[in-house]
């Protein structure tokens, strides 16, 4: 081959590549690192127009959360070639969001985050189809989640993660031979950040470990003892929590009732809006008064927001890094263009740049992804109330408000109020009066989707 001809071919190739984006180039040429070569293979990479069209026209991505992480996720998805997206978030935009949640502007303060984020992406990428929802994820049914090819979660709390994980695992179907139906698997990419630390995780329901498999690695979220808050506050957090409990009618005493009535009279509603400055300032003002009465210092508006909204410190650069990792994994699991993360990636930027990857193993007896029954040995004298308290304290379950039934009989139901009243008498009874050794109890809890339960086999010690 003459050098001139070779140069001409190279120039023609370069000219063709100029018309392709970086993503198109990746999807148009073979790779020695296709998804099938990794330790978590999901499919075989087939470069070409069909794969490019799938990413652009078919893949439907759900982004949960439109905050610091969610804004980065939506931007990265749009720039990675995805054109079908749906974002869900129930929060409104606060002025404090504007320093890092770059899809929002001053004029957007008070509007719903999901709505504004969708508008912004559509404005910058005209062919993007971005829909939005402004409600809790628990309000959506199975049919809603089934329409998506992959879900990326930028959530800020464990409870919502557990619910979503349970929903996706339960949506996986098996055929008559007990084999998983691949089309019913919706991958979950879970991202989280806190100050200079963050993580990304790939969860393939029923294939990899699920979120519940690692629930014991998460410390219980901060709880404020009611008696301490009400009677002997020692910290500024206790004073803020007292006002919060009063406004939410979680306390009932003359002072708390007076605070509640003042809130209703001032705002014309009994529902606290944590994104409303006036509502938050009411909590702050009254918390400061209570702190002064007990000679406690340190109540500030920022601390008030932190206690009420359980705010996690946010750093824009950490959000950018974690969102990039999450979208990278979503792109790989949709295109099979490269090896998928298996299955957990940790980032720590506190004292430099440190990352670590490892496999989260499936947990035997996981309440969500393993059908193995949970076994508990208890004293026959233990009351049903003590049994429930034991379930709540169990780090491997971390339940919130369990309801318990055995075949043909409800032992205790948290709601509705009428059924709770009918079953409350059982709380003081010993378990030996209510069940027999070997009985299987069905336990439901708000952390799991409706219809899901954990089976517990009881034995007496």
């Amino acid at each position: 081959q003459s050098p001139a001809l070779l140069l001409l071919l190279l120039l023609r190739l370069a000219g063709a590549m100029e018309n392709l984006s970086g993503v198109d180039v990746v999807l148009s040429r073979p790779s020695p690192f296709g998804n099938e070569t990794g330790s978590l293979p999901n499919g075989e990479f087939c470069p070409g127009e069909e794969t490019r069209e799938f990413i652009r026209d078919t893949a439907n991505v759900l982004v949960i959360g439109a905050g610091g992480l969610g804004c980065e996720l939506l931007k990265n998805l749009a720039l990675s070639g995805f054109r079908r997206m749906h974002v869900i978030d129930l929060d409104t935009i606060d002025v404090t969001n504007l320093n890092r949640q770059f899809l929002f502007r001053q004029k957007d303060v008070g509007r719903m985050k999901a709505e504004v984020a969708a508008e912004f992406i559509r404005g910058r990428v005209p062919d993007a189809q971005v829909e939005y929802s402004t409600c809790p994820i628990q309000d959506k049914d199975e049919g809603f989640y089934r329409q998506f090819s992959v879900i990326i979660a930028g959530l800020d709390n464990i409870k919502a993660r557990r619910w979503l994980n349970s929903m996706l695992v339960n949506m996986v179907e098996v055929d008559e031979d007990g084999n998983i139906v691949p089309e019913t698997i919706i991958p979950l990419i879970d991202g989280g950040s806190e100050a200079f630390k963050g993580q990304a995780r790939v969860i393939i329901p029923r294939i990899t470990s699920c979120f519940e498999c690692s629930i014991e690695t998460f410390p219980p979220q901060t709880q404020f003892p009611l008696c301490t808050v009400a009677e002997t506050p020692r910290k500024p957090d206790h004073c803020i929590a007292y006002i919060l409990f009063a406004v939410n009618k979680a306390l009932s005493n003359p002072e708390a009732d007076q605070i509640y009535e003042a809130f209703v009279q001032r705002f014309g509603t009994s529902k606290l809006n944590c994104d409303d400055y006036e509502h938050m300032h009411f909590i702050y003002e009254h918390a400061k008064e209570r702190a002064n009465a007990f000679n406690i210092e340190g109540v500030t508006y920022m601390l008030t927001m932190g206690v009420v909204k359980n705010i996690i410190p946010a750093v824009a650069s950490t959000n950018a890094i974690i969102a990039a990792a999450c979208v990278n994994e979503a792109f790989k699991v949709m295109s099979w263009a490269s090896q998928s993360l298996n299955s957990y990636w940790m980032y720590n930027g506190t004292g430099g740049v440190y990352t670590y990857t490892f496999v989260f193993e499936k947990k035997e007896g996981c309440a969500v992804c393993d059908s193995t029954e949970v076994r508990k040995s208890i004293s026959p004298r233990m009351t049903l109330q003590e049994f429930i308290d034991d379930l709540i304290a169990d780090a491997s379950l971390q339940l919130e408000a369990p309801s318990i039934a055995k075949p043909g009989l409800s032992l205790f139901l948290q709601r509705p109020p009428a059924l709770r009243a009918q079953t409350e008498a059982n709380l003081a009874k010993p378990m030996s009066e209510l069940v027999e050794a070997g009985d299987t109890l069905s336990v439901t809890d708000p952390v799991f989707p409706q219809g899901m339960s954990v089976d517990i086999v009881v034995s007496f010690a």
Side-chain angles (χ1 to χ4, degrees):
Q1 299 290 337
S2 69
L5 181 57
L6 181 60
L7 178 60
L8 179 61
L9 290 172
L10 289 173
L11 288 173
R12 285 182 176 176
L13 179 61
M17 288 300 182
E18 281 182 0
N19 296 322
L20 297 176
S21 68
V23 171
D24 287 332
V25 172
V26 170
L27 297 179
S28 299
R29 62 187 183 189
S31 170
F33 306 107
N35 196 268
E36 69 277 6
T37 67
S39 58
L40 182 59
N42 298 290
E44 183 176 354
F45 178 46
C46 297
E49 184 61 27
E50 186 176 347
T51 301
R52 290 168 56 191
E53 287 180 354
F54 176 80
I55 292 294
R56 183 180 64 244
D57 302 327
T58 305
N60 195 4
V61 186
L62 173 63
V63 175
I64 302 182
L69 200 55
C71 286
E72 291 278 359
L73 290 170
L74 288 166
K75 177 259 294 180
N76 289 347
L77 285 167
L79 295 179
S80 296
F82 291 96
R83 290 296 177 264
R84 297 182 63 200
M85 291 168 274
H86 191 118
V87 57
I88 181 169
D89 195 301
L90 54 74
D91 283 345
T92 56
I93 299 167
D94 186 83
V95 69
T96 59
N97 302 146
L98 302 182
N99 70 325
R100 64 193 180 281
Q101 298 176 22
F102 53 83
L103 300 185
F104 311 138
R105 300 292 183 266
Q106 181 71 42
K107 62 182 176 60
D108 300 319
V109 171
R111 294 183 63 197
M112 301 302 294
K113 287 184 178 181
E115 180 182 11
V116 176
E119 287 178 2
F120 192 101
I121 297 297
R122 289 197 297 260
R124 287 297 183 95
V125 186
D127 60 337
Q129 304 170 39
V130 188
E131 300 179 356
Y132 68 90
S133 298
T134 56
C135 62
I137 61 172
Q138 293 88 344
D139 286 0
K140 299 293 188 180
D141 60 13
E142 182 178 312
F144 171 79
Y145 292 102
R146 282 201 181 278
Q147 67 181 300
F148 299 105
S149 311
V150 63
I151 296 175
I152 310 180
L155 291 161
D156 59 2
N157 68 88
I158 303 299
K159 182 178 179 180
R161 281 184 168 95
R162 296 179 71 184
W163 187 93
L164 177 65
N165 171 77
S166 302
M167 170 64 80
L168 296 181
V169 171
N170 285 336
M171 283 166 51
V172 177
E173 298 175 0
V174 296
D175 59 24
E176 56 186 14
D177 296 323
N179 299 315
I180 291 174
V181 180
E183 293 77 16
T184 62
I185 296 176
I186 301 176
L188 170 63
I189 315 297
D190 180 52
S193 69
E194 181 175 346
F196 292 99
K197 300 177 182 179
Q199 54 86 22
R201 182 175 181 180
V202 175
I203 296 173
I204 311 295
R206 298 287 182 187
I207 304 297
T208 67
S209 63
C210 75
F211 187 83
E212 197 74 18
C213 289
S214 56
I215 192 64
E216 292 174 84
T217 64
F218 295 92
Q221 294 186 292
T222 303
Q223 303 287 332
F224 294 102
L226 199 59
C227 57
T228 301
V229 167
E231 299 170 13
T232 55
R234 299 186 300 273
K235 301 190 296 184
D237 309 52
H238 294 161
C239 300
I240 298 168
Y242 180 86
I243 308 303
L244 177 63
F245 289 161
V247 169
N248 287 332
K249 290 295 284 182
L251 280 173
S252 184
N253 61 48
E255 183 186 21
D257 292 343
Q258 190 175 5
I259 293 170
Y260 172 78
E261 291 168 3
F263 181 86
V264 173
Q265 184 175 2
R266 182 169 172 179
F267 299 110
T269 178
S270 60
K271 185 174 178 60
L272 176 67
N273 181 355
C274 299
D275 293 311
D276 188 304
Y277 172 79
E278 295 297 332
H279 286 204
M280 294 298 294
H281 207 266
F282 178 93
I283 302 289
Y284 164 64
E285 289 173 341
H286 285 77
K288 200 166 184 181
E289 290 177 7
R290 183 168 176 81
N292 291 337
F294 285 89
N295 296 316
I296 297 173
E297 298 180 354
V299 173
T300 65
Y301 181 73
M302 289 304 296
L303 179 62
T304 301
M305 290 180 64
V307 171
V308 174
K309 301 178 71 173
N310 192 25
I311 290 176
I312 298 171
V315 175
S317 58
T318 306
N319 286 335
I321 291 168
I322 300 305
C326 289
V327 172
N328 195 30
E329 293 308 319
F331 181 81
K332 290 189 288 186
V333 86
M334 287 291 95
S335 68
W336 302 335
S338 187
Q339 300 172 355
S340 291
L341 167 69
N342 187 19
S343 55
Y344 184 92
W345 179 77
M346 180 185 72
Y347 165 78
N348 189 338
T350 305
V353 177
Y354 173 78
T355 66
Y356 182 64
T357 303
F358 64 93
V359 180
F360 246 127
E361 300 291 348
K362 297 187 76 169
K363 175 188 171 185
E364 185 178 350
C366 173
V368 172
C369 70
D370 188 346
S371 57
T372 304
E373 298 164 327
V374 177
R375 295 185 175 272
K376 277 193 171 292
S377 178
I378 61 174
S379 166
R381 294 185 297 275
M382 174 184 276
T383 65
L384 179 58
Q385 179 65 67
E386 291 171 336
F387 180 71
I388 291 174
D389 293 341
D390 184 63
L391 293 179
I392 294 173
D394 190 334
S396 66
L397 294 174
Q398 295 194 24
L399 304 180
E400 290 188 348
S403 296
I404 302 178
K406 67 177 185 179
L409 179 65
S410 296
L411 301 182
F412 176 67
L413 298 178
Q414 298 278 358
R415 56 182 64 85
L419 292 180
R420 180 187 175 98
Q422 290 178 18
T423 57
E424 268 184 328
N426 288 334
L427 292 175
K429 295 179 180 178
M431 291 294 287
S432 57
E433 284 187 22
L434 301 171
V435 299
E436 296 180 359
D439 277 356
T440 299
L441 302 182
S442 179
V443 179
T444 58
D445 193 89
V447 300
F448 301 129
Q450 188 174 4
M452 180 188 164
S453 63
V454 178
D455 290 336
I456 299 180
V457 180
V458 174
S459 62
F460 293 125

